[in-house]
Amino acid sequence: MTPHDPFDDAATARAVVDEHGTLLEWNAGARRLLGWPADDVVGRPAARLLADGEMPVPAGPRWDGTVPLRHQDGHRVRVWLLAHHRPPHDGTPGSWLVVTPLEPADPGREDDPLAAAGLDQSPCAIAVYDERLRLRRLNNAMAQVIGLPEERIRGLRASEIGGKAQSEEMEAEMAGVLATGRSRDVQTYLRTGGEDRAHAWLARMAPVTDADGRVRGVCVAAHDFTENHRSRERLQLVNEASVRIGSTLDVTRTAQELADVCVPALADFVSVDLLDPDGEGAAPSATVTAPVGLRRAAHRSITPGCPEAVTQPGHLELYPAESPQASSLTAGHTVVASVHSGDLDAWLSQDVARSAWVREYGMHSTMSVPIRARGVTLGVAVFTRCRRPEPFTPDDVLLAEDITARAAVCVDNARRYSRERETALALQRSLLPRGLPRTPAVEAASRYLPATRFGVGGDWFDLIPLSGMRVALCVGDVVGHGIQASATMGRLRTAVRTLADIDLAPDELLTHLDDLVLRLSEEAGDGRPGEVGATCLYAVYDPVSRRCTLARAGLPSPIVVPPRGEPHPVDLPAGPPLGLGGLPFESAEVELSEGSVLAFFTDGLIENRERDVDASHALLLESLAAPSGSLEESCDRILHTLLPPGGVTDDVALLLARTRGLPASQVATWDIPADPALVAPIRKQVVDQLATWGLSDASFTAELVVSELVTNAIRYGSKPIRLRLIHDRATLICEVSDASHTAPHLRRAKTWDEGGRGLLLVAQLTQRWGSRHTATGKTIWAELALLDQG
């Protein structure tokens, strides 16, 4: 008797035998039947109780039959026994529960309410239990479900008849009905003794009362609702598939999600194989012919590690026409095959590895479903059953096709996204600078990271050498993602370089760029502002004056890191994003110590879901303050610190520049009198200065260029006129400034013209020349290449 069982008594003879035939338990009913006390039999072989000495060998999890047993006083007793095998559970070894009822098979009096409750003609399976929860009556339908006749099991409890954990749970529910007098409905899924496979059951329990209203027992009506249960499971699986499949725009991840959803709910092993595209960036072919080359994208098994997988993810395998994969793809519909029917013999005879796999893991049924979306075949999903004994049914086919169709759309979307992403990324990379030019003004390093979740965006960066050793630094961002954003970025970057080439001030450049974005909006939409949006930060640094002029349109202020001091944002007026029109942009000028680091970045660096912008900005300042050997290391540290490991949702552009200053010894300046007769002395001073610098090899060319530029300024410009020479190791720059705003231009001189050849001569003698407007007039400049003196 177990302490938690209030209904246990000697009405049933019950014993427990372990897997080796040793008696583990012996109740009072067993002693009542055979006379042996527990101390005499527990721990000893159960075979000693057999009158013939032969132990029956059960062929399954349940056995029943009549066995001659030996009473304590020596006489033989023929007893009908019911035995249930209980597998190991939670560390408890397996055993056999053996029971037999002891009370006479008496259905009771005719006026007994328990007897009257038995409905022998009812198609519903009904059983009636008394106040001790022992079986009193059951009808023919219930006898068929249990698989045992009523006269054999009358007097046993539900847990003794069923012998399973679910049976004990049912008995506990019946006890609740008996105690409360209230009906209960219980659902369970099990295989009864009269079934070859498990079914879903609804047990409706109701109290049985006598004429005085007293509860005298419990009536249990069992309803098989397996089809309803399976329909609900299918609906739940379809709903789960719609949620879990397609969580990302990654082809391999989507294929894995399809396999994960269907194991073990639909199959024991699922593989997803995809067709390779015909060419780079192309979709798979619309028609499929055997043999079919398929690349394993994903698989899943109920066995950890997928030991039954013949092909590993990423590997390409050729499937012959006899294979289920090729058959379903060439036919264009689902193919169900089984080992027992011989459908797979032709294929397995050619594939030794798979044939061995079928034998080792007991694969008996397979279902191949083509993965098709938008009229294109993408691959095949193969569902296999090994442990589950049931073959695939037509309902399973419909379910697999529904789930695979949902997954096919997600796979196709992922492939389309991947193709567009690769195209946009290739376009983006072709439009971004392949490398940053070396300039005497700054040392620079950059990083660009495309978005990993929503497609490539329109972020860009640039470093543009300007006249007078100056350099322009720029970062920008086009709103949106994909090819359109990349193309717009290319147009804006080209526009910035063009506007930088004519040496516009940062605020003026952003104004022109704003006009361009407005025109792009008109081309893209119905002319409303904001159809195309962008942000930009533009700065010009002069290594001679060590001053930097900046303006921004919608982007965060850059951060400056002094050689000695803490990083801090540049105090820069906030400008509106580009494309709104009619709003002003303001510039700011800051003086930078040599060796200062300027950090330019787009908002993708500091905006993410893991932290707010202020926290990201603080991390950026902390990362910039950390000592570093190079700007490349600083870039890597910043990205590692600020960006989430799972990828970024927006593009990131980062540009770091360490400023250099040009020593005063490398700059010479002269104020030029407006007298052509004084040009010769100026040429002499230039030659002397070049000799001082050790650049005498360039004296002849420099003297001619200076003569032409100074003469041109005296003849066509306005006072004051100033000449400046700047040099580094590779370049000599000649600049002549005057107060006139009239820009010079080349013209073709006729044979007998006395002038018009000066600027043409300058253009021939120098590697490049140009002019720029200043606050007080203009500057004409020319660059001469120097032989490396080092």
Side-chain angles (χ1 to χ4, degrees), residues 36 168 350-351 359 398 420 612 640 663 673 752 761:
W36 299 95
E168 296 179 0
Q350 304 176 34
D351 196 324
R359 291 192 302 271
L398 292 176
E420 180 176 336
D612 58 33
H640 179 75
W752 307 106
L761 178 63

Side-chain angles (χ1 to χ4, degrees), residues 215-423:
V215 177
R216 299 290 304 279
V218 180
C219 178
V220 180
H223 304 273
D224 185 350
F225 73 111
T226 303
E227 290 305 317
N228 179 275
H229 177 74
R230 289 178 178 171
S231 298
R232 188 167 58 190
E233 281 189 331
R234 294 187 186 103
L235 183 60
Q236 183 178 355
L237 184 59
V238 170
N239 180 68
E240 183 180 1
S242 65
V243 173
R244 292 178 57 186
I245 299 177
S247 62
T248 66
L249 287 172
D250 180 80
V251 174
T252 303
R253 177 71 177 273
T254 302
Q256 188 63 56
E257 289 168 346
L258 169 59
D260 292 345
V261 164
C262 295
V263 175
L266 187 57
D268 300 324
F269 178 77
V270 174
S271 63
V272 180
D273 299 306
L274 299 179
L275 292 163
D276 279 344
D278 290 338
E280 186 175 352
S285 175
T287 59
V288 180
T289 57
V292 183
L294 293 169
R295 190 174 300 278
R296 177 62 51 87
H299 54 225
R300 178 66 183 271
S301 170
I302 56 174
T303 306
C306 294
E308 61 269 64
V310 177
T311 304
Q312 296 304 314
H315 290 186
L316 182 69
E317 184 166 351
L318 199 64
Y319 290 89
E322 298 80 8
S323 66
Q325 291 88 339
S327 299
S328 62
L329 289 177
T330 54
H333 58 73
T334 301
V335 171
V336 179
S338 66
V339 173
H340 304 301
S341 64
D343 300 332
L344 302 174
D345 291 349
W347 177 43
L348 295 178
S349 63
Q350 304 176 34
D351 196 324
V352 178
R354 275 190 171 79
S355 181
W357 173 77
V358 168
R359 291 192 302 271
E360 181 176 356
Y361 293 99
M363 186 270 278
H364 59 84
S365 299
T366 182
M367 174 171 55
S368 301
V369 184
I371 302 174
R372 291 180 56 84
R374 302 179 177 95
V376 177
T377 301
L378 304 174
V380 62
V382 180
F383 303 82
T384 304
R385 285 184 176 174
C386 304
R387 295 185 185 178
R388 186 183 300 192
E390 304 89 0
F392 289 108
T393 65
D395 287 337
D396 293 329
V397 173
L398 292 176
L399 179 60
E401 289 177 341
D402 189 359
I403 296 175
T404 303
R406 294 169 183 264
V409 174
C410 297
V411 170
D412 188 50
N413 288 341
R415 270 197 162 154
R416 289 170 181 262
Y417 165 77
S418 297
R419 290 198 299 269
E420 180 176 336
R421 173 180 167 79
E422 289 301 321
T423 302

Side-chain angles (χ1 to χ4, degrees), residues 71 93 104 108 214 260 353 379 425 459 516 573 638 647 680 716-717 729 761 789:
H71 196 273
R214 293 178 300 176
D260 292 345
L425 193 55
D459 288 24
L516 173 60
I638 289 170
Y716 303 108
R729 297 180 61 182
L761 178 63
Q789 304 296 314

Side-chain angles (χ1 to χ4, degrees), residues 132 159 197 404 415 448 478 482 550 559 598 677 725 756 758:
R132 298 175 300 168
S159 59
R197 59 192 178 96
T404 303
R415 270 197 162 154
Y448 167 74
V478 174
L550 313 93
I559 295 174
L598 283 168
L725 297 182

